[in-house]
Amino acid sequence: MGLTEKVLWSMGLGIIAGLLINLGGFNTEGSFVNDYIVGGLFYVIGKMFITALKMLVVPLVFFSLISGVFGIGDLGKLGKVGIKSFALYMLTTSVAIAVSIGIALLVIPRFSSPSMQVSTFTAPEAPPLGDVLVNIIPGNVVEAFATGNMLQIIFFSILLGISLLMVGKKAESIAEGVEILNEAMMKMVTIIMATAPVAVFALLAKAISELGLDLLAQLAVYVTVVVAALLLHLLGTLMLLFRLFTKLNPLIFLQKMRDVQVFAFSTSSSNATIPVTLRSVTKRLGVDNSVASFTVPFGATINMDGTAIMQGVATVFIAHIYGVELGILGYLTVILMSVLASVGTAGVPGVGLIMLSMVFVQVGLPVEGIGLILGVDRLLDMLRTAVNVTGDAVVSTVVARSEDELDIGVYLDREAGSVEAPEIDEAVEEEFAEVVHRVEEKA
Ligand code: ASP
């Protein structure tokens, strides 16, 4: 069994285990299963896995971007990749939310407003939109790296790559070193990925066991519309765009994206999934690192199609319950605001709700209304994150194709880049040991 199959199995088993715990009523506080299995074992395994993925993000993005700048050949191309990917990210997000608002307006008003239990929701502090541009520049590089501020890291890494190019020949050894470190980071990604079958089980069993299933039933209309709009975007809009611009078979794309989607689904974080996305986009889809090293972390930060879809449906749903008519202008504001909000916020779990509260403030909807959908957001977050990362990969492939940076041979090879058990070549181990001995003897 390949890793993908193993992870899919563990995902299925995790969901079943979670449902058993949930339906069996074992998820009550104070019970052994809840405190020691779910809150103990599953929590620790899942958290270690996500933390390990996060550990890779910053160095991986740093090294791959610098080597991407070295590899691009002509710096004008970098500008083109930037503009194209930005435009496509904005386009896909706008279409996503517009379509989701359309579907929601068609479906939701047909259902009478249910009497709902409202969890309290206080609007978290939203980042001021005007600062988004200023904040791309890191005032303090160490802080940018320490806090994992993706746009700032991208900015600094590209600038450093360009500056090294300007230094010229003298920087050659650094270029080689960075290349090797980048390769090593990719190996580290495969090591962490190899632990996924266990981790994904733990993450899903925990998440599903904690779901409020009765709430899910109460919010069935909302959840169904979000899921339908997500599927439509994933299989319709995105695949259409992919086919139109790349002329390639989208089924191969979808098959190769399964790993990335499962990782995004289990972690609910586009950011933590960056290592897996970057690996799959380069090694499995054949996008050159000079494009992917930029488009993937950039997309994880500014592109959130799935999140925009949730916001569109949530706006219509809550407006309906509160009896507010938003009108065409109101919905246009919603589209504009949520696209802008996606630029300024990073892809981490639950950030969609923060963005939603920014949108609500703008269009004058009651922010506490978000409390209505809070209970099911955990599940929807998982689903929409899988759509978010798929969007990142679609745009990466489309941009690479247009820049002639897509290796069609790799794309068509169904086995290319599939993860095998990570191992070290014995001969290499011996070689290394010899080198170390020689150095020691000299000393
Ligand atoms: N969890 C999502 C992501 O990381 C963002 C969100 O919708 O909350 O892409």
Side-chain angles (χ1 to χ4, degrees), residues 221-256:
V221 178
Y222 167 70
V223 174
T224 312
V225 176
V226 174
V227 173
L230 285 174
L231 279 175
L232 183 73
H233 186 71
L234 179 77
L235 302 174
T237 312
L238 285 178
M239 288 309 102
L240 207 66
L241 188 89
F242 183 87
R243 174 77 203 180
L244 216 62
F245 282 101
T246 64
K247 309 270 183 293
L248 294 167
N249 180 357
L251 290 179
I252 301 181
F253 174 88
L254 283 176
Q255 184 226 340
K256 291 190 171 191

PDB file of all heavy atoms in Angstrom, residues 221-256:
ATOM      1  N   VAL A 221     -29.205  22.794   6.618  1.00  0.00           N
ATOM      2  CA  VAL A 221     -29.340  23.569   5.384  1.00  0.00           C
ATOM      3  C   VAL A 221     -28.055  24.347   5.106  1.00  0.00           C
ATOM      4  O   VAL A 221     -27.492  24.298   4.003  1.00  0.00           O
ATOM      5  CB  VAL A 221     -30.520  24.556   5.483  1.00  0.00           C
ATOM      6  CG1 VAL A 221     -30.626  25.402   4.215  1.00  0.00           C
ATOM      7  CG2 VAL A 221     -31.809  23.787   5.704  1.00  0.00           C
ATOM      8  N   TYR A 222     -27.570  25.030   6.136  1.00  0.00           N
ATOM      9  CA  TYR A 222     -26.340  25.813   5.984  1.00  0.00           C
ATOM     10  C   TYR A 222     -25.173  24.919   5.570  1.00  0.00           C
ATOM     11  O   TYR A 222     -24.450  25.201   4.607  1.00  0.00           O
ATOM     12  CB  TYR A 222     -26.048  26.541   7.301  1.00  0.00           C
ATOM     13  CG  TYR A 222     -24.662  27.140   7.398  1.00  0.00           C
ATOM     14  CD1 TYR A 222     -24.306  28.239   6.618  1.00  0.00           C
ATOM     15  CD2 TYR A 222     -23.701  26.599   8.268  1.00  0.00           C
ATOM     16  CE1 TYR A 222     -23.034  28.778   6.690  1.00  0.00           C
ATOM     17  CE2 TYR A 222     -22.440  27.135   8.356  1.00  0.00           C
ATOM     18  CZ  TYR A 222     -22.103  28.223   7.566  1.00  0.00           C
ATOM     19  OH  TYR A 222     -20.835  28.747   7.644  1.00  0.00           O
ATOM     20  N   VAL A 223     -25.016  23.821   6.310  1.00  0.00           N
ATOM     21  CA  VAL A 223     -23.886  22.927   6.031  1.00  0.00           C
ATOM     22  C   VAL A 223     -23.988  22.355   4.619  1.00  0.00           C
ATOM     23  O   VAL A 223     -23.000  22.325   3.874  1.00  0.00           O
ATOM     24  CB  VAL A 223     -23.823  21.779   7.076  1.00  0.00           C
ATOM     25  CG1 VAL A 223     -22.750  20.775   6.710  1.00  0.00           C
ATOM     26  CG2 VAL A 223     -23.551  22.352   8.456  1.00  0.00           C
ATOM     27  N   THR A 224     -25.188  21.941   4.229  1.00  0.00           N
ATOM     28  CA  THR A 224     -25.353  21.349   2.898  1.00  0.00           C
ATOM     29  C   THR A 224     -25.004  22.354   1.804  1.00  0.00           C
ATOM     30  O   THR A 224     -24.329  22.019   0.828  1.00  0.00           O
ATOM     31  CB  THR A 224     -26.811  20.866   2.697  1.00  0.00           C
ATOM     32  OG1 THR A 224     -27.179  20.110   3.834  1.00  0.00           O
ATOM     33  CG2 THR A 224     -26.945  20.019   1.458  1.00  0.00           C
ATOM     34  N   VAL A 225     -25.464  23.587   1.978  1.00  0.00           N
ATOM     35  CA  VAL A 225     -25.185  24.586   0.940  1.00  0.00           C
ATOM     36  C   VAL A 225     -23.677  24.857   0.865  1.00  0.00           C
ATOM     37  O   VAL A 225     -23.106  24.938  -0.229  1.00  0.00           O
ATOM     38  CB  VAL A 225     -25.969  25.891   1.207  1.00  0.00           C
ATOM     39  CG1 VAL A 225     -25.603  26.950   0.175  1.00  0.00           C
ATOM     40  CG2 VAL A 225     -27.457  25.634   1.156  1.00  0.00           C
ATOM     41  N   VAL A 226     -23.016  24.962   2.018  1.00  0.00           N
ATOM     42  CA  VAL A 226     -21.564  25.196   1.995  1.00  0.00           C
ATOM     43  C   VAL A 226     -20.858  24.032   1.290  1.00  0.00           C
ATOM     44  O   VAL A 226     -20.030  24.230   0.402  1.00  0.00           O
ATOM     45  CB  VAL A 226     -20.982  25.377   3.429  1.00  0.00           C
ATOM     46  CG1 VAL A 226     -19.464  25.476   3.378  1.00  0.00           C
ATOM     47  CG2 VAL A 226     -21.543  26.624   4.091  1.00  0.00           C
ATOM     48  N   VAL A 227     -21.220  22.808   1.679  1.00  0.00           N
ATOM     49  CA  VAL A 227     -20.547  21.647   1.095  1.00  0.00           C
ATOM     50  C   VAL A 227     -20.799  21.584  -0.414  1.00  0.00           C
ATOM     51  O   VAL A 227     -19.882  21.347  -1.207  1.00  0.00           O
ATOM     52  CB  VAL A 227     -21.020  20.340   1.782  1.00  0.00           C
ATOM     53  CG1 VAL A 227     -20.458  19.123   1.067  1.00  0.00           C
ATOM     54  CG2 VAL A 227     -20.584  20.334   3.242  1.00  0.00           C
ATOM     55  N   ALA A 228     -22.050  21.844  -0.833  1.00  0.00           N
ATOM     56  CA  ALA A 228     -22.371  21.799  -2.266  1.00  0.00           C
ATOM     57  C   ALA A 228     -21.562  22.856  -3.012  1.00  0.00           C
ATOM     58  O   ALA A 228     -20.995  22.586  -4.082  1.00  0.00           O
ATOM     59  CB  ALA A 228     -23.864  22.020  -2.464  1.00  0.00           C
ATOM     60  N   ALA A 229     -21.481  24.056  -2.453  1.00  0.00           N
ATOM     61  CA  ALA A 229     -20.747  25.133  -3.133  1.00  0.00           C
ATOM     62  C   ALA A 229     -19.251  24.810  -3.184  1.00  0.00           C
ATOM     63  O   ALA A 229     -18.574  25.089  -4.179  1.00  0.00           O
ATOM     64  CB  ALA A 229     -20.992  26.457  -2.421  1.00  0.00           C
ATOM     65  N   LEU A 230     -18.743  24.179  -2.111  1.00  0.00           N
ATOM     66  CA  LEU A 230     -17.321  23.791  -2.107  1.00  0.00           C
ATOM     67  C   LEU A 230     -17.054  22.772  -3.206  1.00  0.00           C
ATOM     68  O   LEU A 230     -16.077  22.877  -3.960  1.00  0.00           O
ATOM     69  CB  LEU A 230     -16.933  23.188  -0.748  1.00  0.00           C
ATOM     70  CG  LEU A 230     -16.756  24.150   0.429  1.00  0.00           C
ATOM     71  CD1 LEU A 230     -16.511  23.369   1.717  1.00  0.00           C
ATOM     72  CD2 LEU A 230     -15.619  25.130   0.193  1.00  0.00           C
ATOM     73  N   LEU A 231     -17.941  21.788  -3.312  1.00  0.00           N
ATOM     74  CA  LEU A 231     -17.760  20.750  -4.334  1.00  0.00           C
ATOM     75  C   LEU A 231     -17.846  21.344  -5.739  1.00  0.00           C
ATOM     76  O   LEU A 231     -17.061  21.013  -6.624  1.00  0.00           O
ATOM     77  CB  LEU A 231     -18.827  19.664  -4.168  1.00  0.00           C
ATOM     78  CG  LEU A 231     -18.524  18.628  -3.090  1.00  0.00           C
ATOM     79  CD1 LEU A 231     -19.699  17.682  -2.915  1.00  0.00           C
ATOM     80  CD2 LEU A 231     -17.261  17.838  -3.451  1.00  0.00           C
ATOM     81  N   LEU A 232     -18.805  22.236  -5.908  1.00  0.00           N
ATOM     82  CA  LEU A 232     -18.981  22.856  -7.221  1.00  0.00           C
ATOM     83  C   LEU A 232     -17.723  23.633  -7.608  1.00  0.00           C
ATOM     84  O   LEU A 232     -17.258  23.577  -8.746  1.00  0.00           O
ATOM     85  CB  LEU A 232     -20.189  23.804  -7.189  1.00  0.00           C
ATOM     86  CG  LEU A 232     -20.504  24.451  -8.524  1.00  0.00           C
ATOM     87  CD1 LEU A 232     -21.128  23.433  -9.463  1.00  0.00           C
ATOM     88  CD2 LEU A 232     -21.450  25.646  -8.364  1.00  0.00           C
ATOM     89  N   HIS A 233     -17.160  24.314  -6.639  1.00  0.00           N
ATOM     90  CA  HIS A 233     -15.965  25.107  -6.933  1.00  0.00           C
ATOM     91  C   HIS A 233     -14.773  24.194  -7.242  1.00  0.00           C
ATOM     92  O   HIS A 233     -14.036  24.407  -8.197  1.00  0.00           O
ATOM     93  CB  HIS A 233     -15.635  26.007  -5.747  1.00  0.00           C
ATOM     94  CG  HIS A 233     -14.515  26.959  -6.021  1.00  0.00           C
ATOM     95  ND1 HIS A 233     -14.658  28.035  -6.868  1.00  0.00           N
ATOM     96  CD2 HIS A 233     -13.232  27.000  -5.594  1.00  0.00           C
ATOM     97  CE1 HIS A 233     -13.505  28.688  -6.950  1.00  0.00           C
ATOM     98  NE2 HIS A 233     -12.624  28.081  -6.185  1.00  0.00           N
ATOM     99  N   LEU A 234     -14.645  23.160  -6.417  1.00  0.00           N
ATOM    100  CA  LEU A 234     -13.519  22.245  -6.566  1.00  0.00           C
ATOM    101  C   LEU A 234     -13.574  21.498  -7.896  1.00  0.00           C
ATOM    102  O   LEU A 234     -12.604  21.465  -8.658  1.00  0.00           O
ATOM    103  CB  LEU A 234     -13.534  21.245  -5.405  1.00  0.00           C
ATOM    104  CG  LEU A 234     -12.448  20.192  -5.391  1.00  0.00           C
ATOM    105  CD1 LEU A 234     -11.150  20.806  -4.912  1.00  0.00           C
ATOM    106  CD2 LEU A 234     -12.817  19.037  -4.472  1.00  0.00           C
ATOM    107  N   LEU A 235     -14.727  20.908  -8.169  1.00  0.00           N
ATOM    108  CA  LEU A 235     -14.824  20.052  -9.357  1.00  0.00           C
ATOM    109  C   LEU A 235     -15.248  20.830 -10.598  1.00  0.00           C
ATOM    110  O   LEU A 235     -14.969  20.414 -11.719  1.00  0.00           O
ATOM    111  CB  LEU A 235     -15.809  18.907  -9.097  1.00  0.00           C
ATOM    112  CG  LEU A 235     -15.459  18.025  -7.901  1.00  0.00           C
ATOM    113  CD1 LEU A 235     -16.554  17.011  -7.630  1.00  0.00           C
ATOM    114  CD2 LEU A 235     -14.125  17.301  -8.122  1.00  0.00           C
ATOM    115  N   GLY A 236     -15.931  21.947 -10.399  1.00  0.00           N
ATOM    116  CA  GLY A 236     -16.384  22.732 -11.539  1.00  0.00           C
ATOM    117  C   GLY A 236     -15.411  23.856 -11.881  1.00  0.00           C
ATOM    118  O   GLY A 236     -14.549  23.710 -12.752  1.00  0.00           O
ATOM    119  N   THR A 237     -15.539  24.951 -11.166  1.00  0.00           N
ATOM    120  CA  THR A 237     -14.760  26.157 -11.491  1.00  0.00           C
ATOM    121  C   THR A 237     -13.263  25.872 -11.612  1.00  0.00           C
ATOM    122  O   THR A 237     -12.633  26.196 -12.621  1.00  0.00           O
ATOM    123  CB  THR A 237     -14.966  27.227 -10.393  1.00  0.00           C
ATOM    124  OG1 THR A 237     -16.360  27.341 -10.136  1.00  0.00           O
ATOM    125  CG2 THR A 237     -14.399  28.565 -10.825  1.00  0.00           C
ATOM    126  N   LEU A 238     -12.695  25.259 -10.566  1.00  0.00           N
ATOM    127  CA  LEU A 238     -11.236  25.084 -10.566  1.00  0.00           C
ATOM    128  C   LEU A 238     -10.776  24.141 -11.669  1.00  0.00           C
ATOM    129  O   LEU A 238      -9.774  24.391 -12.347  1.00  0.00           O
ATOM    130  CB  LEU A 238     -10.756  24.570  -9.203  1.00  0.00           C
ATOM    131  CG  LEU A 238     -10.731  25.598  -8.063  1.00  0.00           C
ATOM    132  CD1 LEU A 238     -10.281  24.950  -6.762  1.00  0.00           C
ATOM    133  CD2 LEU A 238      -9.838  26.784  -8.394  1.00  0.00           C
ATOM    134  N   MET A 239     -11.514  23.065 -11.878  1.00  0.00           N
ATOM    135  CA  MET A 239     -11.087  22.101 -12.901  1.00  0.00           C
ATOM    136  C   MET A 239     -11.283  22.662 -14.309  1.00  0.00           C
ATOM    137  O   MET A 239     -10.497  22.406 -15.218  1.00  0.00           O
ATOM    138  CB  MET A 239     -11.849  20.781 -12.743  1.00  0.00           C
ATOM    139  CG  MET A 239     -11.415  19.977 -11.536  1.00  0.00           C
ATOM    140  SD  MET A 239      -9.621  19.746 -11.442  1.00  0.00           S
ATOM    141  CE  MET A 239      -9.131  20.919 -10.216  1.00  0.00           C
ATOM    142  N   LEU A 240     -12.310  23.487 -14.453  1.00  0.00           N
ATOM    143  CA  LEU A 240     -12.554  24.141 -15.740  1.00  0.00           C
ATOM    144  C   LEU A 240     -11.384  25.082 -16.063  1.00  0.00           C
ATOM    145  O   LEU A 240     -10.826  25.084 -17.159  1.00  0.00           O
ATOM    146  CB  LEU A 240     -13.852  24.944 -15.636  1.00  0.00           C
ATOM    147  CG  LEU A 240     -14.625  25.168 -16.920  1.00  0.00           C
ATOM    148  CD1 LEU A 240     -15.155  23.844 -17.433  1.00  0.00           C
ATOM    149  CD2 LEU A 240     -15.798  26.129 -16.673  1.00  0.00           C
ATOM    150  N   LEU A 241     -11.029  25.858 -15.064  1.00  0.00           N
ATOM    151  CA  LEU A 241      -9.917  26.797 -15.209  1.00  0.00           C
ATOM    152  C   LEU A 241      -8.635  26.038 -15.546  1.00  0.00           C
ATOM    153  O   LEU A 241      -7.869  26.415 -16.437  1.00  0.00           O
ATOM    154  CB  LEU A 241      -9.741  27.539 -13.880  1.00  0.00           C
ATOM    155  CG  LEU A 241      -8.771  28.697 -13.868  1.00  0.00           C
ATOM    156  CD1 LEU A 241      -9.508  29.958 -14.257  1.00  0.00           C
ATOM    157  CD2 LEU A 241      -8.160  28.873 -12.482  1.00  0.00           C
ATOM    158  N   PHE A 242      -8.443  24.933 -14.836  1.00  0.00           N
ATOM    159  CA  PHE A 242      -7.250  24.120 -15.031  1.00  0.00           C
ATOM    160  C   PHE A 242      -7.193  23.596 -16.464  1.00  0.00           C
ATOM    161  O   PHE A 242      -6.182  23.706 -17.154  1.00  0.00           O
ATOM    162  CB  PHE A 242      -7.287  22.942 -14.038  1.00  0.00           C
ATOM    163  CG  PHE A 242      -6.078  22.067 -14.094  1.00  0.00           C
ATOM    164  CD1 PHE A 242      -4.959  22.372 -13.354  1.00  0.00           C
ATOM    165  CD2 PHE A 242      -6.060  20.933 -14.894  1.00  0.00           C
ATOM    166  CE1 PHE A 242      -3.828  21.562 -13.409  1.00  0.00           C
ATOM    167  CE2 PHE A 242      -4.939  20.125 -14.953  1.00  0.00           C
ATOM    168  CZ  PHE A 242      -3.819  20.442 -14.213  1.00  0.00           C
ATOM    169  N   ARG A 243      -8.305  23.040 -16.898  1.00  0.00           N
ATOM    170  CA  ARG A 243      -8.370  22.438 -18.233  1.00  0.00           C
ATOM    171  C   ARG A 243      -8.158  23.522 -19.311  1.00  0.00           C
ATOM    172  O   ARG A 243      -7.410  23.355 -20.258  1.00  0.00           O
ATOM    173  CB  ARG A 243      -9.729  21.758 -18.377  1.00  0.00           C
ATOM    174  CG  ARG A 243     -10.042  21.213 -19.732  1.00  0.00           C
ATOM    175  CD  ARG A 243      -9.318  19.929 -19.989  1.00  0.00           C
ATOM    176  NE  ARG A 243      -9.196  19.695 -21.423  1.00  0.00           N
ATOM    177  CZ  ARG A 243      -8.613  18.671 -21.977  1.00  0.00           C
ATOM    178  NH1 ARG A 243      -8.042  17.758 -21.219  1.00  0.00           N
ATOM    179  NH2 ARG A 243      -8.555  18.532 -23.266  1.00  0.00           N
ATOM    180  N   LEU A 244      -8.837  24.639 -19.110  1.00  0.00           N
ATOM    181  CA  LEU A 244      -8.805  25.735 -20.084  1.00  0.00           C
ATOM    182  C   LEU A 244      -7.386  26.257 -20.287  1.00  0.00           C
ATOM    183  O   LEU A 244      -6.933  26.461 -21.399  1.00  0.00           O
ATOM    184  CB  LEU A 244      -9.687  26.858 -19.535  1.00  0.00           C
ATOM    185  CG  LEU A 244     -10.492  27.669 -20.524  1.00  0.00           C
ATOM    186  CD1 LEU A 244     -11.482  26.772 -21.243  1.00  0.00           C
ATOM    187  CD2 LEU A 244     -11.237  28.786 -19.797  1.00  0.00           C
ATOM    188  N   PHE A 245      -6.665  26.448 -19.167  1.00  0.00           N
ATOM    189  CA  PHE A 245      -5.353  27.085 -19.258  1.00  0.00           C
ATOM    190  C   PHE A 245      -4.212  26.105 -19.491  1.00  0.00           C
ATOM    191  O   PHE A 245      -3.179  26.478 -20.019  1.00  0.00           O
ATOM    192  CB  PHE A 245      -5.063  27.902 -17.995  1.00  0.00           C
ATOM    193  CG  PHE A 245      -5.765  29.217 -17.971  1.00  0.00           C
ATOM    194  CD1 PHE A 245      -6.915  29.390 -17.225  1.00  0.00           C
ATOM    195  CD2 PHE A 245      -5.288  30.295 -18.700  1.00  0.00           C
ATOM    196  CE1 PHE A 245      -7.576  30.608 -17.194  1.00  0.00           C
ATOM    197  CE2 PHE A 245      -5.937  31.518 -18.683  1.00  0.00           C
ATOM    198  CZ  PHE A 245      -7.089  31.675 -17.931  1.00  0.00           C
ATOM    199  N   THR A 246      -4.379  24.851 -19.038  1.00  0.00           N
ATOM    200  CA  THR A 246      -3.236  23.941 -19.168  1.00  0.00           C
ATOM    201  C   THR A 246      -3.438  22.908 -20.277  1.00  0.00           C
ATOM    202  O   THR A 246      -2.469  22.282 -20.707  1.00  0.00           O
ATOM    203  CB  THR A 246      -2.988  23.148 -17.860  1.00  0.00           C
ATOM    204  OG1 THR A 246      -4.118  22.312 -17.632  1.00  0.00           O
ATOM    205  CG2 THR A 246      -2.769  24.052 -16.673  1.00  0.00           C
ATOM    206  N   LYS A 247      -4.682  22.723 -20.693  1.00  0.00           N
ATOM    207  CA  LYS A 247      -5.018  21.696 -21.702  1.00  0.00           C
ATOM    208  C   LYS A 247      -4.618  20.297 -21.226  1.00  0.00           C
ATOM    209  O   LYS A 247      -4.382  19.405 -22.039  1.00  0.00           O
ATOM    210  CB  LYS A 247      -4.329  21.986 -23.051  1.00  0.00           C
ATOM    211  CG  LYS A 247      -4.534  23.391 -23.578  1.00  0.00           C
ATOM    212  CD  LYS A 247      -5.782  23.464 -24.457  1.00  0.00           C
ATOM    213  CE  LYS A 247      -5.999  24.821 -25.081  1.00  0.00           C
ATOM    214  NZ  LYS A 247      -6.314  25.899 -24.138  1.00  0.00           N
ATOM    215  N   LEU A 248      -4.494  20.117 -19.930  1.00  0.00           N
ATOM    216  CA  LEU A 248      -4.111  18.799 -19.408  1.00  0.00           C
ATOM    217  C   LEU A 248      -5.321  18.124 -18.780  1.00  0.00           C
ATOM    218  O   LEU A 248      -6.313  18.772 -18.458  1.00  0.00           O
ATOM    219  CB  LEU A 248      -3.008  18.955 -18.353  1.00  0.00           C
ATOM    220  CG  LEU A 248      -1.663  19.476 -18.851  1.00  0.00           C
ATOM    221  CD1 LEU A 248      -0.787  19.874 -17.690  1.00  0.00           C
ATOM    222  CD2 LEU A 248      -0.963  18.422 -19.703  1.00  0.00           C
ATOM    223  N   ASN A 249      -5.194  16.820 -18.566  1.00  0.00           N
ATOM    224  CA  ASN A 249      -6.277  16.055 -17.972  1.00  0.00           C
ATOM    225  C   ASN A 249      -6.406  16.364 -16.470  1.00  0.00           C
ATOM    226  O   ASN A 249      -5.514  16.035 -15.686  1.00  0.00           O
ATOM    227  CB  ASN A 249      -5.983  14.559 -18.182  1.00  0.00           C
ATOM    228  CG  ASN A 249      -7.054  13.676 -17.586  1.00  0.00           C
ATOM    229  OD1 ASN A 249      -8.002  14.153 -16.966  1.00  0.00           O
ATOM    230  ND2 ASN A 249      -6.907  12.372 -17.789  1.00  0.00           N
ATOM    231  N   PRO A 250      -7.526  16.983 -16.062  1.00  0.00           N
ATOM    232  CA  PRO A 250      -7.665  17.371 -14.647  1.00  0.00           C
ATOM    233  C   PRO A 250      -7.797  16.174 -13.712  1.00  0.00           C
ATOM    234  O   PRO A 250      -7.571  16.313 -12.510  1.00  0.00           O
ATOM    235  CB  PRO A 250      -8.921  18.230 -14.619  1.00  0.00           C
ATOM    236  CG  PRO A 250      -9.573  18.096 -15.931  1.00  0.00           C
ATOM    237  CD  PRO A 250      -8.655  17.418 -16.889  1.00  0.00           C
ATOM    238  N   LEU A 251      -8.153  15.004 -14.257  1.00  0.00           N
ATOM    239  CA  LEU A 251      -8.319  13.845 -13.367  1.00  0.00           C
ATOM    240  C   LEU A 251      -6.976  13.447 -12.750  1.00  0.00           C
ATOM    241  O   LEU A 251      -6.903  13.046 -11.580  1.00  0.00           O
ATOM    242  CB  LEU A 251      -8.908  12.661 -14.135  1.00  0.00           C
ATOM    243  CG  LEU A 251     -10.366  12.853 -14.553  1.00  0.00           C
ATOM    244  CD1 LEU A 251     -10.859  11.653 -15.333  1.00  0.00           C
ATOM    245  CD2 LEU A 251     -11.244  13.102 -13.332  1.00  0.00           C
ATOM    246  N   ILE A 252      -5.901  13.586 -13.557  1.00  0.00           N
ATOM    247  CA  ILE A 252      -4.568  13.271 -13.022  1.00  0.00           C
ATOM    248  C   ILE A 252      -4.254  14.249 -11.896  1.00  0.00           C
ATOM    249  O   ILE A 252      -3.755  13.884 -10.833  1.00  0.00           O
ATOM    250  CB  ILE A 252      -3.498  13.386 -14.128  1.00  0.00           C
ATOM    251  CG1 ILE A 252      -3.843  12.432 -15.269  1.00  0.00           C
ATOM    252  CG2 ILE A 252      -2.107  13.120 -13.570  1.00  0.00           C
ATOM    253  CD1 ILE A 252      -2.840  12.453 -16.406  1.00  0.00           C
ATOM    254  N   PHE A 253      -4.602  15.508 -12.127  1.00  0.00           N
ATOM    255  CA  PHE A 253      -4.371  16.529 -11.104  1.00  0.00           C
ATOM    256  C   PHE A 253      -5.078  16.152  -9.804  1.00  0.00           C
ATOM    257  O   PHE A 253      -4.477  16.150  -8.731  1.00  0.00           O
ATOM    258  CB  PHE A 253      -4.872  17.892 -11.615  1.00  0.00           C
ATOM    259  CG  PHE A 253      -4.822  18.981 -10.586  1.00  0.00           C
ATOM    260  CD1 PHE A 253      -3.678  19.735 -10.417  1.00  0.00           C
ATOM    261  CD2 PHE A 253      -5.913  19.242  -9.774  1.00  0.00           C
ATOM    262  CE1 PHE A 253      -3.625  20.729  -9.454  1.00  0.00           C
ATOM    263  CE2 PHE A 253      -5.869  20.224  -8.812  1.00  0.00           C
ATOM    264  CZ  PHE A 253      -4.726  20.979  -8.659  1.00  0.00           C
ATOM    265  N   LEU A 254      -6.346  15.804  -9.924  1.00  0.00           N
ATOM    266  CA  LEU A 254      -7.122  15.490  -8.720  1.00  0.00           C
ATOM    267  C   LEU A 254      -6.550  14.276  -7.998  1.00  0.00           C
ATOM    268  O   LEU A 254      -6.467  14.249  -6.770  1.00  0.00           O
ATOM    269  CB  LEU A 254      -8.580  15.228  -9.092  1.00  0.00           C
ATOM    270  CG  LEU A 254      -9.401  16.488  -9.393  1.00  0.00           C
ATOM    271  CD1 LEU A 254     -10.798  16.111  -9.854  1.00  0.00           C
ATOM    272  CD2 LEU A 254      -9.482  17.400  -8.179  1.00  0.00           C
ATOM    273  N   GLN A 255      -6.120  13.291  -8.782  1.00  0.00           N
ATOM    274  CA  GLN A 255      -5.567  12.090  -8.162  1.00  0.00           C
ATOM    275  C   GLN A 255      -4.287  12.437  -7.388  1.00  0.00           C
ATOM    276  O   GLN A 255      -4.078  11.989  -6.267  1.00  0.00           O
ATOM    277  CB  GLN A 255      -5.281  11.052  -9.238  1.00  0.00           C
ATOM    278  CG  GLN A 255      -4.787   9.738  -8.691  1.00  0.00           C
ATOM    279  CD  GLN A 255      -3.583   9.212  -9.471  1.00  0.00           C
ATOM    280  OE1 GLN A 255      -3.353   9.621 -10.609  1.00  0.00           O
ATOM    281  NE2 GLN A 255      -2.828   8.350  -8.846  1.00  0.00           N
ATOM    282  N   LYS A 256      -3.463  13.291  -7.997  1.00  0.00           N
ATOM    283  CA  LYS A 256      -2.190  13.627  -7.348  1.00  0.00           C
ATOM    284  C   LYS A 256      -2.359  14.597  -6.181  1.00  0.00           C
ATOM    285  O   LYS A 256      -1.449  14.798  -5.387  1.00  0.00           O
ATOM    286  CB  LYS A 256      -1.232  14.214  -8.385  1.00  0.00           C
ATOM    287  CG  LYS A 256      -0.774  13.178  -9.407  1.00  0.00           C
ATOM    288  CD  LYS A 256       0.342  13.686 -10.268  1.00  0.00           C
ATOM    289  CE  LYS A 256       0.901  12.544 -11.123  1.00  0.00           C
ATOM    290  NZ  LYS A 256       2.141  12.902 -11.785  1.00  0.00           N
TER     291      LYS A 256
END
